[in-house]
Amino acid sequence: MGSIRKPQMSESSNVRVFDTSVDYSNSKQIFKCVDMRIEHLATTPICVYDPTTDIFVSKDIISKGSFEGDYIKEVVKILQDNLSLSFVDIDYNEGVYTLAVAKFGREVIALDANRKNLEMVATSLVKGNLTGKVTLIWNALSDRVEALGFKHKEGNIGALQMESGIRATNDSRGDESSMAIVLDDLVPLLRKRSLFVKMDIESYEYKAMSGGKKFFEEVDVRFLLMEWDFHRTSVEGSRIIQFMTERRFRPVLPLQRLVSLNVENRNTWPNEIMWIRI
């Protein structure tokens, strides 16, 4: 079994850094490992779930070579044009963005609450000789340090919706719960860096941002790619817009960055949006 390395990066004792040196190929959740293929990018191994139960992400990776390949190419293009940027991947599922960016040669800090995902990505990193490029953090994000439970998403078993207000458990495997930290806990690691952040937390984005006021003040976040599907009509959607615009970010189409999105019409925004610091 793998281990949790003692955090060296943060003032918070709750930050858990996952050991990326272990190959978990025999873990029952790993269906197989295949080559991730994205046009114009180098291939690298990626481990996937059974596509009969993971009908979106793993099925696409097996049949098409990747998931959200166009967005990944756009992220890599931005990194290519901005040589100082590091990449932060928040809730990475099978790790398509993490692995593509690491293979491109840029440093990645990747955070996920689901231990199964961590084991999958650690195995992919070992198989691709990329362990030195990625720091894996085994935590959820919230607006406070707390234990969070999971709601499993049918058809997308690597994605989890968080459930607040549960009691801390002795779930050492992390199959049903995880310890949440706040974004501000990551400031000591990231304070002197310029970042591209990808955030996909299944509707929990605003709670994560709320724990990051210091993070957005002291860390140079330049780009933030996030899922918008849950926020078109939610109260949290309007709060995210206020939070980001107050910090001088403007929303754009991810694949057409010159096209700004109208904050008055957030209910018409696409599933994925990008915030760019002005």
Side-chain angles (χ1 to χ4, degrees):
M1 296 299 294
S3 61
I4 303 299
R5 290 189 282 120
K6 184 178 180 181
Q8 301 296 323
M9 71 189 56
S10 174
E11 297 157 2
S12 169
S13 60
N14 293 307
V15 175
R16 303 186 293 184
V17 181
F18 197 78
D19 188 347
T20 58
S21 67
V22 180
D23 186 329
Y24 293 92
S25 294
N26 293 326
S27 293
K28 62 181 180 180
Q29 77 267 20
I30 296 180
F31 178 69
K32 64 178 177 178
C33 300
V34 299
D35 281 340
M36 185 168 70
R37 305 181 311 277
I38 302 173
E39 187 181 16
H40 305 308
L41 299 181
T43 61
T44 193
I46 183 168
C47 301
V48 296
Y49 292 101
D50 187 334
T52 62
T53 55
D54 187 28
I55 62 175
F56 300 109
V57 182
S58 292
K59 188 174 181 179
D60 267 12
I61 293 170
I62 293 170
S63 63
K64 301 176 183 178
S66 69
F67 178 76
E68 298 189 350
D70 287 342
Y71 292 122
I72 292 171
K73 285 191 291 185
E74 189 65 19
V75 168
V76 171
K77 184 178 186 302
I78 290 171
L79 296 174
Q80 205 166 21
D81 293 339
N82 296 268
L83 299 179
S84 65
L85 289 180
S86 298
F87 186 69
V88 174
D89 194 355
I90 297 174
D91 267 36
Y92 46 75
N93 209 316
E94 279 99 318
V96 286
Y97 286 84
T98 288
L99 295 169
V101 171
K103 185 65 176 180
F104 173 66
R106 202 62 58 88
E107 183 179 6
V108 181
I109 299 89
L111 180 148
D112 202 286
N114 185 348
R115 179 174 178 127
K116 291 180 180 177
N117 288 342
L118 286 131
E119 292 178 355
M120 301 266 283
V121 174
T123 303
S124 301
L125 292 171
V126 170
K127 290 181 179 298
N129 295 315
L130 295 173
T131 56
K133 287 291 183 183
V134 179
T135 299
L136 294 182
I137 298 175
W138 180 20
N139 287 101
L141 282 180
S142 186
D143 55 356
R144 62 188 184 277
V145 174
E146 60 176 335
L148 291 178
F150 300 156
K151 292 181 181 179
H152 294 270
K153 194 172 181 181
E154 186 175 355
N156 188 357
I157 58 177
L160 298 172
Q161 286 185 296
M162 301 295 119
E163 184 176 23
S164 188
I166 71 162
R167 292 183 179 181
T169 69
N170 293 321
D171 181 21
S172 60
R173 281 286 311 166
D175 289 341
E176 301 298 334
S177 66
S178 185
M179 178 58 66
I181 58 172
V182 295
L183 267 174
D184 287 349
D185 288 326
L186 301 179
V187 169
L189 170 65
L190 301 170
R191 181 180 282 119
K192 296 182 180 180
R193 307 192 193 194
S194 298
L195 300 182
F196 188 122
V197 177
K198 189 221 87 183
M199 182 180 290
D200 183 358
I201 324 181
E202 303 293 324
S203 81
Y204 227 68
E205 284 82 4
Y206 180 68
K207 289 202 77 168
M209 288 178 176
S210 298
K213 294 181 175 66
K214 181 180 177 183
F215 179 88
F216 279 92
E217 288 174 3
E218 299 188 19
V219 177
D220 182 22
V221 179
R222 303 279 184 88
F223 300 87
L224 193 155
L225 178 66
M226 67 178 295
E227 187 176 27
W228 192 251
D229 191 34
F230 293 99
H231 304 301
R232 289 194 184 97
T233 59
S234 70
V235 173
E236 287 79 11
S238 62
R239 291 171 178 167
I240 289 171
I241 290 172
Q242 181 178 357
F243 185 97
M244 295 301 286
T245 54
E246 285 177 351
R247 287 158 178 81
R248 299 183 294 109
F249 285 86
R250 66 181 176 92
V252 301
L253 294 175
L255 303 181
Q256 297 173 275
R257 283 176 277 136
L258 295 179
V259 180
S260 295
L261 295 166
N262 186 341
V263 296
E264 302 299 325
N265 295 323
R266 66 184 173 99
N267 60 319
T268 66
W269 291 6
N271 287 346
E272 304 287 337
I273 66 166
M274 186 181 293
W275 295 93
I276 300 178
R277 173 159 274 166
I278 302 170

